[in-house]
Amino acid sequence: MAVTETPPETVDAAAPAVASTPRPEPTGLAAVLGSGDHKLVGRLYIVTALLFGLAAGLLGVLFAVEGIEPTTLDLFSAGSVYQLFTLFRLGGVFMVAFPLVIGVALVVVPLQVGATTVAFPRAAAASYWAWLVGSALVVAAYAIDGGPGGSSRTGVNLFLAAMVLVVVAILVAAVCLATTVIALRTPGLLLSRVPLFAWSVAVAAVLWLLTLPVLVGSLVLAYVDHRHAGGTLGGNAAIFGRFAWVLRNPQIYVVAIPVLGFTVDVLATTARARLGARSLAQAAIGGAGITAFGAVLATPYTGALESPVVVAMGLAAVLPVLAVLGLVGDLFRRGSFRLTTGALYAVSATSILLLGTLAGALGSIPDLETAGTIYDLGVAHLVLVAAITASLGGIHWWATKIGRQPANESLGRLAPLVLLSGAVVTALPDLISGIAGEDLELAADWTGGIESLNLIVLIGSAILLFGLLVAVVSLRRLFQPAGQGQRDPWDGQTLEWLTASPPPLGNFDAPLPVVTSAEPLVDLREEN
């Protein structure tokens, strides 16, 4: 057998020239559905969570109205009121607070660590679509008389399966965020130099990965029991009780850990000063994660709330917030003061979180016997509003990175003050009722609370809804068409302000300098 070889240059010369045509980029719906760009995925999370937030806020106002005369059921029917209340509680956590935090983090964290994308971008996109489908199925389950307290067996099964999908989607997003901070940092950006918002998101994501799988296991067990075992473990009546540990302290704190990182990053830039005891700030945020490990309460043992470990965690949860506030005070002592919208959001969110952790610490004292009462509802509301306020502040602060134009400054300055006042007015009556109330006044639902104080809760709920509306209106310019915006409108300290506004597909349009400190943009300005 003969083998004929042709010199490569002869083949190249004989080969016909083939014109290469650029591959067209998808547009419209195809671009949204098929995109793995972390900035687009983050924006989708933000917009959807805000829509759910407005609905949850309206539902909260309606329940506050019902709480004034809880026995009359003027607004809800007796057959649906319990279901809608559980939807309000679960939706506020898993359809508003978690996705809002994730949305801001997906856009900002890769920019802060100098990464060209988020870790596992397709998984990040899948997490949004899985969360969206799961949330829609949760609402659909309630619509067909499912969910906790529902009479439809199929609806209850659908609710349990959909909640598993929602929580798994959050866990996938947590993997992407934590991996981005740990593995995709630009050269020179040591973990000790990571911006504190990115650090706090990583700590929160790790806590989600350590605690939320316990909730998934409980949901799967409840699904198997309800569908195949005939409710031998309590059936439908016990379903909402499986969520109780997620909706109270210390577990509720896991969604608010990024508040601390956001506050320090924004106020350090506002004060135009380098953070002094950076290791203390990182330790405080890490400590906030330790005190938020609420999976220890995922047990049928009724005395778990009074165990020394749980009591100690509840009391210690306030210390990281106080440490961050101390560092912030030192920043302004050494630097200057500017009244920026981001600073107002940061101070408001941290103040709300401080009130929440102080209330949680007080409620952790066994002698007060507030566990399982409406007191827990007040603590949860404070923590959730703190997380939502910080997320709204993050959207405003990083508006030109998340969207296309800066947010409205006038409305932006009003929104955090309204949210702060609404959080206080809403939660304090529940906290007082949990300590001073008796019998039905202690119920941890719309029937609880001292009736004279429930009118104040209604006023606070209306203020919160108004504050959310003001914040949403202030952000409407973000998604209007515009050209290139200002790269660094705040004289920032970290890498996200080095890229264009809005950032290009690969995040940075030029190679990044090797990072030599925690404030690389301050270094560049000092060199120039």
Side-chain angles (χ1 to χ4, degrees):
M1 181 176 66
V3 178
T4 303
E5 294 185 357
T6 305
E9 60 271 15
T10 307
V11 176
D12 293 340
V18 178
S20 61
T21 57
R23 182 179 179 181
E25 292 291 333
T27 58
L29 184 61
V32 174
L33 294 175
S35 177
D37 181 14
H38 66 96
K39 299 178 289 296
L40 176 59
V41 176
R43 287 194 290 268
L44 290 172
Y45 262 118
I46 289 169
V47 172
T48 314
L50 288 176
L51 293 176
F52 277 126
L54 292 173
L58 178 59
L59 194 57
V61 171
L62 295 178
F63 270 110
V65 173
E66 193 66 66
I68 298 175
E69 291 286 345
T71 58
T72 61
L73 292 178
D74 295 326
L75 300 177
F76 304 103
S77 66
S80 64
V81 63
Y82 178 72
Q83 291 166 278
L84 290 173
F85 179 76
T86 61
L87 177 60
F88 168 64
R89 294 294 310 278
L90 295 174
V93 177
F94 293 102
M95 298 181 195
V96 183
F98 267 118
L100 204 53
V101 171
I102 290 171
V104 176
L106 278 175
V107 177
V108 175
V109 167
L111 298 175
Q112 283 200 323
V113 300
T116 57
T117 184
V118 73
F120 317 119
R122 294 296 180 185
S127 76
Y128 168 75
W129 297 110
W131 170 81
L132 179 63
V133 171
S135 299
L137 290 176
V138 168
V139 175
Y142 278 98
I144 62 174
D145 198 18
S151 60
S152 169
R153 186 177 183 85
T154 300
V156 174
N157 291 335
L158 177 61
F159 163 78
L160 292 169
M163 278 303 303
V164 170
L165 183 58
V166 168
V167 179
V168 168
I170 292 171
L171 289 171
V172 172
V175 170
C176 297
L177 291 169
T179 305
T180 300
V181 177
I182 294 171
L184 297 187
R185 302 187 308 277
T186 193
L189 189 63
L190 308 176
L191 273 179
S192 59
R193 298 172 178 170
V194 167
L196 290 176
F197 177 71
W199 171 258
S200 64
V201 168
V203 171
V206 170
L207 263 293
W208 301 348
L209 292 170
L210 291 175
T211 57
L212 293 184
V214 179
L215 176 60
V216 173
S218 298
L219 288 168
V220 171
L221 183 62
Y223 178 85
V224 173
D225 174 61
H226 188 268
R227 181 170 183 178
H228 300 291
T232 57
L233 298 179
N236 192 3
I239 287 176
F240 190 67
R242 298 180 184 274
F243 290 94
W245 63 277
V246 180
L247 302 175
R248 57 153 293 133
N249 63 300
Q251 178 64 27
I252 196 68
Y253 297 147
V254 297
V255 75
I257 294 172
V259 172
L260 303 178
F262 167 74
T263 296
V264 178
D265 274 1
V266 169
L267 294 182
T269 298
T270 300
R272 292 192 175 100
R274 296 178 187 259
L275 183 65
R278 186 175 187 81
S279 58
L280 176 60
Q282 287 189 310
I285 294 171
I290 294 173
T291 59
F293 186 82
V296 294
L297 296 179
T299 171
Y301 173 54
T302 57
L305 289 170
E306 299 180 2
S307 68
V309 173
V310 174
V311 172
M313 289 170 62
L315 295 173
V318 70
L319 298 179
V321 185
L322 292 174
V324 166
L325 288 175
L327 292 170
V328 166
D330 179 65
L331 277 172
F332 286 108
R333 180 186 63 83
R334 294 183 292 104
S336 58
F337 179 78
R338 292 179 291 167
L339 187 62
T340 64
T341 303
L344 287 175
Y345 267 112
V347 172
S348 297
T350 310
S351 299
I352 298 170
L353 183 58
L354 177 62
L355 289 174
T357 53
L358 283 171
L362 182 63
S364 298
I365 301 174
D367 292 343
L368 290 180
E369 298 181 350
T370 60
T373 70
I374 198 170
Y375 190 95
D376 292 340
L377 198 60
V379 174
H381 281 166
L382 286 170
V383 176
L384 290 177
V385 175
I388 292 169
T389 301
S391 297
L392 292 169
I395 300 169
H396 196 110
W397 182 253
W398 290 294
T400 55
K401 309 303 177 185
I402 295 174
R404 297 183 178 91
Q405 294 192 49
N408 185 296
E409 283 295 305
S410 299
L411 290 176
R413 292 183 179 185
L414 175 62
L417 301 178
V418 175
L419 290 169
L420 172 60
S421 59
V424 174
V425 175
T426 300
L428 281 182
D430 287 342
L431 299 176
I432 295 171
S433 296
I435 295 175
E438 298 177 355
D439 301 326
L440 291 179
E441 293 173 344
L442 299 177
D445 54 33
W446 72 98
T447 63
I450 299 171
E451 288 191 4
S452 59
L453 295 178
N454 286 347
L455 178 60
I456 302 177
V457 175
L458 171 60
I459 296 172
S461 299
I463 294 174
L464 279 177
L465 180 57
F466 176 68
L468 183 58
L469 283 170
V470 172
V472 170
V473 172
S474 75
L475 299 172
R476 71 186 188 282
R477 294 170 51 190
L478 269 68
F479 305 106
Q480 295 176 358
Q484 288 289 322
Q486 189 176 355
R487 285 177 180 257
D488 186 6
W490 310 114
D491 292 333
Q493 298 182 343
T494 45
L495 291 174
E496 72 269 23
W497 304 113
L498 199 59
T499 186
S501 296
L505 187 60
N507 289 345
F508 298 93
D509 47 16
L512 293 175
V514 176
V515 175
T516 57
S517 77
E519 299 86 11
L521 266 66
V522 177
D523 296 339
L524 288 176
R525 284 193 290 268
E526 290 177 351
E527 290 175 3
N528 296 330

